[in-house]
Amino acid sequence: MNRPNAHILDQFVATFGNARPNRLGIAVSGGSDSLALLVLARHWAAQGGPEPHAVTVDHGLRDGSADEAAGVSALCARLGVAHRTLEWRGWDGAGNLSDAARRARYGLIADWAEAEGITDVVLGHTLNDVAETFVMRLSREAGVDGLATMTPGWRQGAVEFRRPLLQVSRAELRTLVTAEGLEWIDDPTNTDDAFERARVRKALGVLEGLGITARGLGTVARHMTEVRQALYWYVFVEARRYVTFDRGDVVIERKGFRTLPRDICRRMVQEILRWISGAEYGPRGKAVDLMLEAIRGGNGMTLHGVMMSVGADHLRFTREPQAVAQLRAAPGAAWDGRWRLDGPWPDGAEVAALGEAGLAQCEDRVRPGLPRASLMASPAVWRGGHLVAAPLAGVAEGWSATLLRDEDMFFAGILAH
């Protein structure tokens, strides 16, 4: 690699620290940013770095996508890099297309990587992507979290996704790709004003005349990330003081909670809802604001598959019985993503919610302590219509229930932001 571009390779390699994989996955679409990843990975391999393996996801959402994927495959063959094309044809016309395509893309790549024994996959998001996302979220009146920079990485199953180019501009990467004699594919949606990101890119060109550059916006986004981390540290400290756990329920000391700044309360409640529900994301801020108003008024509320009740001294958050009423799990499998039951499994048994029917069968033997709603949403062993055991209700019959997302995971989740 020529000397003017050596610093980009240094940044690329530094992303991994001492945790350097043996094989490296590269998400390559054929655009300039992803081709730069391919170039950098090859140069690193030449210096003793991991063996590169490229992957392209063809979403089939526009004409020519299959030809573009074939072009990437041919380029990789010419460069001596293993390549695989993955296809997604799962769009049913419902919901948010961009979000569905993104989730499908990462899911397919994660499955491919795990099957190939690849632990790390790099993505080509750049400083320009950070700036564009910042402006898009600014137009939606986002708060600190929305304006913070893209996360540099995350784990999905056994695969670590990394964004090693967040501080490198698209112009620098195009210079790098051109120096290698490669040509990139220009996605037509990048200049189509029907798409918000294309409009934002044009607007950023105008803003540069005012001194508002992609690099400057990237710096502001990093400052917002530092603020977000400080806020979540505050949440962590206060949660340690006021949050306790009761057989899968979360309990907050009401008096202490009332003394906290509203933003800390909001974040704490979001983390509780996410931890109990198992959802990838917590509910939106406006919905949580309604729950905070309910708490202030002394009223219960259901949100995100979680019931919140207000007692004299405590707030209690429990799984909503209706959210788990239809869930079933086979012997030994996780139920609701939260519980695993162990015991003397009889033939034909399965795990389901205790519910009203289960309570009716064992109410005279229920161990006191958990509220009725918590009991109804708790896991039980059923054989047909017969209740075999309900460990959280105290009807153990030789059975135990293990919480898979434990207290340590709750607190670690707060600090993961």
Side-chain angles (χ1 to χ4, degrees):
M1 178 165 290
N2 60 47
R3 188 165 298 278
N5 294 320
H7 72 287
I8 301 178
L9 179 58
D10 290 342
Q11 289 186 44
F12 180 84
V13 174
T15 302
F16 296 85
N18 294 323
R20 298 185 179 184
N22 294 321
R23 309 174 88 193
L24 180 62
I26 314 154
V28 185
S29 66
S32 59
D33 305 340
S34 63
L35 287 187
L37 282 178
L38 188 60
V39 169
L40 293 165
R42 289 184 70 243
H43 279 286
W44 191 16
Q47 297 176 12
E51 177 186 351
H53 291 257
V55 62
T56 302
V57 177
D58 174 16
H59 297 92
L61 296 174
R62 57 183 175 79
D63 294 339
S65 63
D67 291 338
E68 291 171 2
V72 173
S73 181
L75 172 62
C76 288
R78 180 160 61 85
L79 297 176
V81 176
H83 176 269
R84 175 82 177 275
T85 296
L86 308 174
E87 293 185 350
W88 180 62
R89 299 294 185 266
W91 175 238
D92 59 4
N96 185 304
L97 172 57
S98 297
D99 183 63
R102 178 184 60 82
R103 290 173 182 271
R105 179 167 62 253
Y106 293 142
L108 287 169
I109 292 175
D111 290 344
W112 162 81
E114 192 166 354
E116 294 291 331
I118 296 169
T119 58
D120 295 73
V121 176
V122 289
L123 306 170
H125 296 109
T126 70
L127 179 65
N128 296 78
D129 292 304
V130 172
E132 291 159 12
T133 301
F134 183 92
V135 173
M136 290 164 65
R137 292 177 177 174
L138 189 65
S139 70
R140 300 184 187 110
E141 302 179 355
V144 170
D145 289 16
L147 298 178
T149 193
M150 291 180 175
T151 177
W154 74 93
R155 177 166 289 276
Q156 188 162 329
V159 179
E160 190 77 25
F161 283 92
R162 299 178 183 271
R163 293 174 171 137
L165 303 177
L166 292 181
Q167 297 186 47
V168 183
S169 72
R170 184 167 294 121
E172 291 177 286
L173 295 178
R174 289 187 169 182
T175 298
L176 170 64
V177 172
T178 300
E180 295 287 323
L182 303 180
E183 295 184 3
W184 59 84
I185 299 168
D186 280 317
D187 186 336
T189 63
N190 289 335
T191 56
D192 186 345
D193 284 348
F195 294 89
E196 181 185 18
R197 190 171 290 273
R199 299 194 300 271
V200 168
R201 286 183 179 181
K202 292 179 181 179
L204 283 171
V206 176
L207 290 174
E208 284 187 1
L210 302 175
I212 302 174
T213 64
R215 191 163 297 280
L217 291 174
T219 299
V220 175
R222 287 198 300 276
H223 292 331
M224 288 295 185
T225 299
E226 294 171 356
V227 173
R228 181 179 64 185
Q229 290 171 340
L231 289 171
Y232 275 109
W233 175 253
Y234 192 171
V235 173
F236 172 81
V237 170
E238 299 303 332
R240 283 290 190 186
R241 293 177 63 187
Y242 299 124
V243 171
T244 56
F245 301 82
D246 183 13
R247 288 165 282 178
D249 286 4
V250 178
V251 181
I252 307 179
E253 180 191 315
R254 192 176 176 190
K255 182 179 179 180
F257 187 76
R258 284 199 301 259
T259 67
L260 300 178
R262 185 177 179 86
D263 190 61
I264 302 304
C265 292
R266 180 188 299 109
R267 292 169 188 274
M268 188 180 296
V269 167
Q270 282 178 316
E271 289 302 302
I272 291 170
L273 297 178
R274 191 166 68 90
W275 182 76
I276 292 176
S277 69
E280 183 178 356
Y281 301 106
R284 293 186 179 276
K286 290 182 179 179
V288 180
D289 285 341
L290 291 176
M291 180 165 277
L292 294 180
E293 289 302 314
I295 291 171
R296 188 169 69 172
N299 301 312
M301 180 177 170
T302 298
L303 177 64
H304 221 53
V306 178
M307 291 181 63
M308 179 276 298
S309 59
V310 181
D313 300 317
H314 296 89
L315 307 173
R316 179 178 285 268
F317 296 79
T318 189
R319 192 68 159 119
E320 180 190 5
Q322 187 61 33
V324 296
Q326 304 303 318
L327 295 182
R328 302 290 185 272
W335 180 79
D336 193 27
R338 307 179 70 207
W339 296 99
R340 188 185 67 243
L341 270 58
D342 297 293
W345 287 99
D347 291 340
E350 63 180 0
V351 183
L354 182 60
E356 290 277 10
L359 277 176
Q361 293 188 36
C362 69
E363 200 152 17
D364 58 335
R365 295 184 291 154
V366 167
R367 182 177 65 186
L370 277 178
R372 185 178 184 84
S374 302
L375 290 171
M376 288 174 56
S378 68
V381 181
W382 290 87
R383 189 180 186 189
H386 172 68
L387 179 69
V388 177
L392 298 185
V395 185
E397 307 294 341
W399 292 79
S400 63
T402 302
L403 188 61
L404 302 179
R405 294 195 298 272
D406 61 12
E407 301 172 20
D408 289 341
M409 291 181 68
F410 171 75
F411 289 111
I414 296 174
L415 294 179
H417 288 276

